[in-house]
Amino acid sequence: MIKLIASDMDGTLLDAHMSISEENAEAIRFANEAGIEFMVATGRNFQEARAALDEAGIDCAMITLNGAQVFDKDGHSLFTVPIPTLQATTVLDILDANGIYYEVSTNQGLYSENQAKRIESFASMVASHLPHLTYKMAIAMASANLELLHINYVDSIRDLLADEKLEVLKIICFHTEGPQVLGPVGKEISQLGDLAVTSSGQNNIEVNHKNAQKGIAVAHVAHERGIPLEDVMTIGDNFNDVSMLQTAGVSFAMGNAEIEVKEYAKYITDTNLEAGVGKAILRAISENL
């Protein structure tokens, strides 16, 4: 019997408005009433994830930044898995050498060196998850997102790394040419060792410590709850979800998931525009998956 559900957000739990639909919210509440805990496992940071959950009135634990930081339902940080500063600096060297825009999530906030690139990159990510949007609409949505999310714009992120109290939790990289440029760069970064390079969209790669993965974080939370992995359900759509799809006893890929990602899941649900998460939850409960 399912006792814990972990769901990705972008392209999974969130709809065309980057919100949690009422159908999804009702299914989550139904699961909670049945004694099943729901949590999100996302590449977003705490503030980005919390905004959508608050809007839907959902209080839950959160795995953020692909597993680099885990919070309880009250927003208290349970643990973090940072990238060593020397490795983070080397990654930034590789990205700069290839002309790739990046943002760095830390224990002290999210940092960028270029606001215009931030809007362009976020718009491209939104468009990849919501192909029905025009690019102009995606730009508008990206600009609105900036008003909700506090981003620190600095001249040099490297200067910040001199602060011994700052921990780099995730580096996300964007390029409009997608895999053609990011693929070789991702391989080069992977060769540094002890790093996990994944993706949440065609136009990005995400760099974390190898122990900061959704699957590892889900397993950790389940262990803390005394829940066997066969009683865990996970839902996702992209490559940074693969580790948790492999970990759980019950796994669903979204109808809009990447083809390769679907191969790792035991079940397929509808798309994020069709409340696929809610339907997966109700199916798992009704069929006692």
Side-chain angles (χ1 to χ4, degrees), residues 176-218:
T176 55
E177 295 182 29
Q180 182 178 345
V181 172
L182 295 175
V185 170
K187 290 181 180 179
E188 183 177 357
I189 292 172
S190 296
Q191 292 172 359
L192 297 176
D194 293 334
L195 296 176
V197 180
T198 58
S199 173
S200 59
Q202 287 292 315
N203 72 326
N204 73 54
I205 55 174
E206 302 180 355
V207 183
N208 289 90
H209 188 277
K210 68 176 182 180
N211 292 329
Q213 297 187 57
K214 292 183 181 183
I216 294 174
V218 167

Side-chain angles (χ1 to χ4, degrees), residues 135-240:
Y135 187 68
K136 184 176 181 180
M137 292 168 63
I139 286 287
M141 189 174 288
S143 298
N145 176 266
L146 290 182
E147 297 178 4
L148 300 174
L149 178 65
H150 181 65
I151 305 173
N152 303 290
Y153 293 100
V154 295
D155 292 330
S156 173
I157 291 177
R158 278 182 179 73
D159 290 346
L160 301 174
L161 301 185
D163 181 356
E164 295 182 356
K165 296 181 180 179
L166 183 136
E167 295 180 326
V168 174
L169 302 178
K170 186 181 85 166
I171 302 170
I172 184 167
C173 328
F174 298 90
H175 199 283
T176 55
E177 295 182 29
Q180 182 178 345
V181 172
L182 295 175
V185 170
K187 290 181 180 179
E188 183 177 357
I189 292 172
S190 296
Q191 292 172 359
L192 297 176
D194 293 334
L195 296 176
V197 180
T198 58
S199 173
S200 59
Q202 287 292 315
N203 72 326
N204 73 54
I205 55 174
E206 302 180 355
V207 183
N208 289 90
H209 188 277
K210 68 176 182 180
N211 292 329
Q213 297 187 57
K214 292 183 181 183
I216 294 174
V218 167
H220 179 90
V221 171
H223 178 74
E224 289 294 307
R225 304 285 199 273
I227 299 174
L229 289 177
E230 56 263 31
D231 294 336
V232 175
M233 170 176 162
T234 55
I235 317 169
D237 75 304
N238 226 305
F239 294 101
N240 62 342

